[in-house]
Amino acid sequence: MSETVSEKFDAIVVGAGPAGNAAAYTLAKAGLAVLQIERGEYPGSKNVQGAILYSHALEAIIPDFRDSAPLERHIVEQRMWLLDESTSYTGAHFRSEEFNKPPYNRYTIIRARFDKWFSQQVRDAGALVICETTVTGLLKNEAGKVIGVRTERENGDILADVVILADGVNSLVGQRAGLRPDIAPKDAALAVKEILFLPKEVIEQRFNVSGSQGVVIEIAGSITGGMLGTAFLYTNKDSLAIGVGCILEDMKKQKMTPAELLERVKRHPAIRPLIEGGEMKEYAAHLIPEGGYNALPQLYGDGWVMVGDSAGFVNAIHREGSNLAMTTGRIAAETVIELKTAGKPFSAANLAAYKARLDDSFVMKDLKKYAEAPDMLLDNPHMLGMYPDFLARSAQTMLTVDGIDKRAKQREILARLKQKRSLWGIIGDAYKFWRAFK
Amino acid sequence: MHIVVCIKQVPDSAQIRVHPVTNTIMRQGVPAIINPFDLFALEEALRLKDKYGARVTVMSMGPAQAEEAMKKALSFGANDAILVSDKIFAGADTLATSYALAAAIRKLDETRPVDIVFTGKQTIDGDTAQVGPGLAIRLNAQLLTYVSKIRGIDAATREIVVERRAEGGVQVLASKMPCVVTMLEGSNEMRFATMPDMFRAARFDVQHWNRDAAGIEDIKQVGLKGSPTVVAKVFAPSPKAVKAEMIPGETPAAQCTALVDRLFAEHPKLAADLLKHLDSLNHSPEAAR
Ligand SMILES: Cc1cc2nc3c(=O)[nH]c(=O)nc-3n(C[C@H](O)[C@H](O)[C@H](O)COP(=O)(O)OP(=O)(O)OC[C@H]3O[C@@H](n4cnc5c(N)ncnc54)[C@H](O)[C@@H]3O)c2cc1C
């Protein structure tokens, strides 16, 4: 059927989202022969995110990214709102001058632009990037070792020493090759998002910001109709990103379409005045793997590793995904570089070093920390409306995302909260909540 | 045989929106594509490459970003790509564009004589269909517009035979080369690039020709200076305010009848024509069977 391209690569990266780009960039910078294959028309054409970019993960890969990356606004204020179905809301706002000092900690981005920029860095670093090409399967030798990929193109079989799967939440490539199961409806959130165009001045007025300052609103509560999920509203330069996502299983049960849910959020009196007059520029729906630690598949094997959403690296509690994607992509690449430099084969035993490095990083520490949270919340959907005060006090520290693991941060918060502990009371729900989030 | 295919990178018009308040066109964030009409020209040229071993050079006048479009054309199998790009070309209308492209083609012709220049029928952003004819005049070449098919080429006599869509039928035309061919849409279907061609395109160094490289001496003829066209205003037709109306009725069938009655009452000619048509159908041999 398909003939093999004669050229062989050190590594093939499948997908050009943050995970794939981080991996391909790191590999190419180290001088490896890298081929990256993306099915979209251009990198970012199919990718969906809120989107908040956490600086630390990108900084570890491209330290001076701020000089050239298309960043929208840096976040100075975070609002956490609990919305009821249609009338009222309670919430906490944090605004801090700490967030207003460069180098900034978080930015809003528009993925289509950001991914394009990231991909240009990958090309400049020397990787061969091929778009509009779908990887349809993995090539294996008789021993079952992955030795390359198959694409839909004529003469489209390509060989490599190692394949990095960064093909996102559905990872059909991984599934077809039997490397991971299909994602379970309880482990996936279906999220929809719109970009609403508004003049810069209107945004600055409505959100009380100036220059490149921006605001993030994270939303939970009965607005999701009892389904486990959250909504968000982010400020870009001259547009707003608004979205909502709920666990697929809940959506199926309630027979609610994501579009209906988003309309409900947009109609809510707390939201409506903020988005009024916005012209819709983009509508997109996407899955988010929210199963957390307990849903992680096997992460490596003979000749392959899995990074980013394809392996389910998302911290749903903190709405972090792209930073985990970039970090896992970078660490996988570093592992590959190390083996290559040492002249060692890319066997499962050697690639286990990838998992070991991850275990040592905030990625696994954070996912482990919240391992029980997804199931607990699924069984106790009312939990998401509880303890706004705790969230309020913790937010400043916890929302400063900088690669420091959350347990260390929590020790700090706990110390602060300890004197007030009597206020909390020990009730059954709180205990459960605590267990899942401890 | 040497074929030049002129292509243009255009905003994907399917994704352009009109601002609801100002009624202006919002180009922001609209992806750029190869002008869809040009793809028919490129594919036809590639078929001549397959059939006669022709060499295909794609050429475009445009900003540096148009390199993406050139690479895409290369991935389909073009041999070479030249981007005619210079700050002074900015703001060119069809007159100035054809001047610059003709100069570049003449320059190319010096090292590798050009037999056919292909263009698409028109672009989706300008819709003028003037650049192809403009090239023919400037290059002093035969002009074949609205071509739907290349029947064949005789290398010995340097003759090309094409089918041209004309009002009421198809013309079969023979012409001497060099000639300019503007291709009609729907005449063929763009191929799916092979993996080796994707690799080649990704690594290809697209040539950038500035005004000197393109042999342009008179800068008053290019860019804004060389463009007599004035765009007075760009606007979208204002949407008509028509009130929606509910058609009452107990059953869907009753509602349909009420709707048809209303339509016929408001458009008596439509009703009459339709009835006549139905009548003729009833008396056709098929209906009789
Ligand atoms: C609505 C929404 C809001 C979010 N908000 C945030 C946020 O604010 N902050 C945050 O950090 N995270 C957020 N996330 C999560 C974040 O978007 C993801 O975690 C992140 O994009 C994962 O990156 P990735 O590279 O693993 O996968 P992706 O970004 O999905 O990239 C995978 C790539 O692989 C390509 N691909 C897939 N299959 C193939 C194939 N067979 N062959 C070739 N290419 C293929 C795809 O086209 C795609 O480009 C959000 C997600 C959603 C849906």
Side-chain angles (χ1 to χ4, degrees), chain A residues 15 17-19 38-39 47-50 52 54 111 135 167 309 321-322:
Chain A
E38 163 60 43
R39 90 189 140 159
N47 299 343
V48 184
Q49 189 178 327
I52 303 295
Y54 303 100
R111 275 289 296 273
V135 170
D167 53 336
D309 273 11
S322 63

Side-chain angles (χ1 to χ4, degrees), chain A residues 60-78:
Chain A
I61 300 159
I62 306 178
D64 57 357
F65 76 91
R66 291 180 179 87
D67 296 344
S68 59
L71 305 168
E72 293 288 315
R73 291 174 180 274
H74 72 270
I75 306 307
V76 294
E77 180 175 328
Q78 168 126 9

